[in-house]
Amino acid sequence: MSELQHQRASAPTPNYDVAARHLMGDAAFASIVGTLNSGVVLVAFAVYLGASSTLIGILAALPFLTQLLQVPAVLMLERIRSRRLFALVFLLLARLALPVVAILEFIPDRRLALAVLVIAETLHCAFNAMAGCAWNSWMRDLVPEQRLGSFFGRRTVYATGAGIAGTLIAAFALEFAQPLKGGTGFVFVALYGLGFLASLISTWKLSRVPDVPGERRPPEQKLGPMLLKPLKDSNFVRLIRFMASWQFAVNLAVPFFTVFLIEQLGYSAGFVLVLSLVSQVAHVAVARYWGHLSDRFTNKSVLTVTAPLFILCIAAMAFAGESGMPGLTMAYLVVLHALMGLATAGVTLASGAIGLKLAPQGSANVYVATNALVTAAAAGTAPILAGIGAEVLRVRELAIQVLWLSPEGKSDLVAIGLSGWQLFFLISAFIGLYALHRLSAVEEHGAIPRKEMMQHVLNQARRGVRNASPVAGLRAAVAFPAGALMQARRSKSSG
């Protein structure tokens, strides 16, 4: 046993109950930040500033592409003892971008304002990824292993409640101000200002949590060879192909639902937030249900039900508004978002759990990390390509017409015109069918302990309510398990 290990074994255990109370407060206020300053609100602000489809695609890609920064973060944390300090510093740096975004309303040059928005959001996502790397490792050592399930369960409750409250506040503010229909843009100043205040409280609550010093020593295993090892496993490579093609298909369309609903169908940002809330509530409501099914059957069985349902929802979004009846269209969108929430919960849970299940015992963290890196790259590339392609499809239309010809003349039985984002949604759905084909090649055997599965369910549900967006829950599939990967690198020395 090393000197630091001996000190940690003889030192008093941090007061977990006090730490947990502060971590619950951190979860609540961090969730408010997510609902007020990302997802629908961020896209609505970009549209208000005059963002092109390409720029919105870049904004949608940032949360995924910055996940790649967790690789160098792992290397940095190997030689930094205080993960608490690391997390707090980078978290504070990330949140300092929020007041910068808040003042963009006062910049008369909209092109300059959009450039600052991209820079600020890049720094926000990048520093958040770095902080998240340290947070995961810190929590792994702070929370007793036998209480992990109850800990993340409580955080889910706090995050969900605060997230719903934040979404309702943002929806009411945007509906009242109507910034995209000639109203004032100061509502975004208020939302980002309120989000920054919530972020400071979240950071303060996190600073009250005791540190658990890590060991500063060279790792026994090199990171590069570890991450390449899963690529020699043929079945796991088939899973990676499914996950990469799935994330590419989904993120080719879903991040732009907000733009489609606001610009092409003419709905307010407040109404879009209400739709997102419907999806979010449906996601949380059935997370445990999908967990029970994956326990009883397999994760692949859950995916074969939920993934096609989600693809069907993407295709169905292309036909929203075709009825020409406002009331019917609104009801159609509410039902569609509820179905997307139900499907997202199952996809998020099963796609994460199947990676754990297919990995060899003792190597799960490395396998999941490799999968996360590949899928993050695919998920980040898709919205950028979609944004560029949308500029081409904006001036093109696919017309579907069914005529009835008779001696008396001809009449239209069906007349549908699809243009812009509607065409992209159909393209996304077709690529999703290819992803489902890749899923059919994945072989799943065996089972993991029920406790581990339910803990994973709680983790995914917690992540799924961070942003008021139908795609938020799907981001969990590319979450990089940095803290656990650090443990894997050190496994030889502790053995």
Side-chain angles (χ1 to χ4, degrees):
M1 180 180 290
S2 68
E3 180 181 352
L4 180 56
Q5 286 176 319
H6 178 75
Q7 292 175 358
R8 289 168 68 178
S10 59
T13 303
N15 189 329
Y16 168 73
D17 292 330
V18 174
R21 186 167 63 249
H22 290 301
L23 286 168
M24 297 308 121
D26 162 58
F29 285 100
S31 185
I32 291 175
V33 177
T35 55
L36 294 183
N37 299 155
S38 62
V40 174
V41 176
L42 173 62
V43 173
F45 195 17
V47 172
Y48 170 77
L49 294 174
S52 65
S53 299
T54 302
L55 193 142
I56 291 174
I58 292 173
L59 291 174
L62 289 175
F64 299 105
L65 295 180
T66 51
Q67 285 285 318
L68 303 178
L69 292 175
Q70 293 209 36
V71 175
V74 167
L75 300 177
M76 294 172 63
L77 281 168
E78 292 287 359
R79 291 167 174 78
I80 295 178
R81 184 177 179 185
S82 178
R83 290 164 291 180
R84 174 176 174 270
L85 178 61
F86 189 98
L88 288 172
V89 168
F90 278 100
L91 197 58
L92 183 60
L93 288 174
R95 290 167 172 177
L96 287 177
L98 299 180
V100 175
V101 177
I103 64 173
L104 296 182
E105 165 66 14
F106 303 106
I107 299 179
D109 187 342
R110 291 312 197 199
R111 294 182 63 182
L112 176 60
L114 287 171
V116 174
L117 176 62
V118 172
I119 294 172
E121 188 63 18
T122 300
L123 295 176
H124 179 70
C125 294
F127 289 142
N128 257 332
M130 302 285 280
C133 180
W135 189 91
N136 289 330
S137 176
W138 177 18
M139 292 302 110
R140 187 179 181 89
D141 287 344
L142 175 67
V143 181
E145 186 172 351
Q146 66 275 17
R147 302 179 72 173
L148 278 172
S150 61
F151 169 75
F152 283 113
R154 287 180 62 194
R155 276 183 67 88
T156 298
V157 173
Y158 278 81
T160 302
I164 290 174
T167 302
L168 290 174
I169 291 172
F172 177 80
L174 290 173
E175 190 67 26
F176 177 78
Q178 293 284 319
L180 303 180
K181 296 184 178 181
T184 176
F186 285 97
V187 64
F188 294 112
V189 179
L191 290 176
Y192 272 88
L194 185 59
F196 180 57
L197 178 61
S199 76
L200 292 180
I201 299 175
S202 169
T203 307
W204 176 74
K205 297 294 288 185
L206 194 60
S207 71
R208 306 290 293 173
V209 178
D211 197 5
V212 180
E215 293 191 67
R216 288 184 295 178
R217 65 183 183 193
E220 295 294 325
Q221 304 181 66
K222 293 184 178 180
L223 189 59
M226 285 180 65
L227 294 175
L228 291 175
K229 181 181 177 181
L231 300 182
K232 300 176 182 178
D233 185 327
S234 59
N235 191 42
F236 201 82
V237 169
R238 288 194 288 268
L239 175 65
I240 291 177
R241 287 173 179 167
F242 158 67
M243 288 297 301
S245 56
W246 169 262
Q247 286 290 334
F248 184 88
V250 167
N251 288 285
L252 199 66
V254 179
F256 300 97
F257 281 175
T258 298
V259 182
F260 169 66
L261 293 172
I262 291 175
E263 290 191 339
Q264 201 159 327
L265 297 189
Y267 288 106
S268 67
F271 176 70
V272 177
L273 270 171
V274 172
L275 293 176
S276 299
L277 181 60
V278 170
S279 180
Q280 179 178 316
V281 171
H283 179 287
V284 175
V286 299
R288 285 182 177 272
Y289 171 75
W290 290 125
H292 287 302
L293 286 183
S294 61
D295 278 349
R296 184 177 178 182
F297 302 104
T298 62
N299 296 294
K300 183 177 176 180
S301 299
V302 172
L303 285 172
T304 55
V305 174
T306 56
L309 175 60
F310 198 88
I311 292 299
L312 183 62
C313 288
I314 293 177
M317 182 64 78
F319 298 95
E322 290 300 316
S323 69
M325 302 170 61
L328 182 60
T329 300
M330 292 178 70
Y332 179 87
L333 289 171
V334 169
V335 172
L336 197 57
H337 276 72
L339 291 175
M340 280 193 288
L342 299 176
T344 300
V347 171
T348 302
L349 165 70
S351 61
I354 195 173
L356 292 172
K357 196 171 177 181
L358 296 186
Q361 188 173 4
S363 302
N365 298 318
V366 177
Y367 274 61
V368 172
T370 299
N371 181 45
L373 288 176
V374 176
T375 52
T381 303
I384 296 176
L385 294 178
I388 296 172
E391 299 293 340
V392 177
L393 293 180
R394 188 184 298 273
V395 293
R396 288 164 172 80
E397 181 177 348
L398 173 65
I400 301 175
Q401 188 176 29
V402 178
L403 298 176
W404 173 258
L405 301 178
S406 67
E408 291 77 21
K410 63 179 180 179
S411 58
D412 290 334
L413 294 182
V414 177
I416 299 176
L418 304 178
S419 62
W421 290 116
Q422 293 170 300
L423 294 175
F424 242 107
F425 298 160
L426 292 179
I427 293 172
S428 171
F430 279 115
I431 297 176
L433 293 178
Y434 169 77
L436 295 178
H437 169 68
R438 302 309 315 179
L439 174 63
S440 65
V442 177
E443 299 177 2
E444 180 185 7
H445 301 287
I448 63 175
R450 181 180 180 82
K451 180 179 179 181
E452 182 179 344
M453 174 65 76
M454 292 311 300
Q455 176 187 322
H456 189 75
V457 174
L458 294 170
N459 288 345
Q460 301 307 330
R462 172 179 58 85
R463 293 183 183 127
V465 299
R466 284 183 174 176
N467 299 310
S469 170
V471 79
L474 297 170
R475 291 178 182 168
V478 300
F480 191 79
L485 187 59
M486 292 171 63
Q487 297 283 344
R489 297 186 74 202
R490 294 172 172 173
S491 60
K492 286 186 178 181
S493 62
S494 60

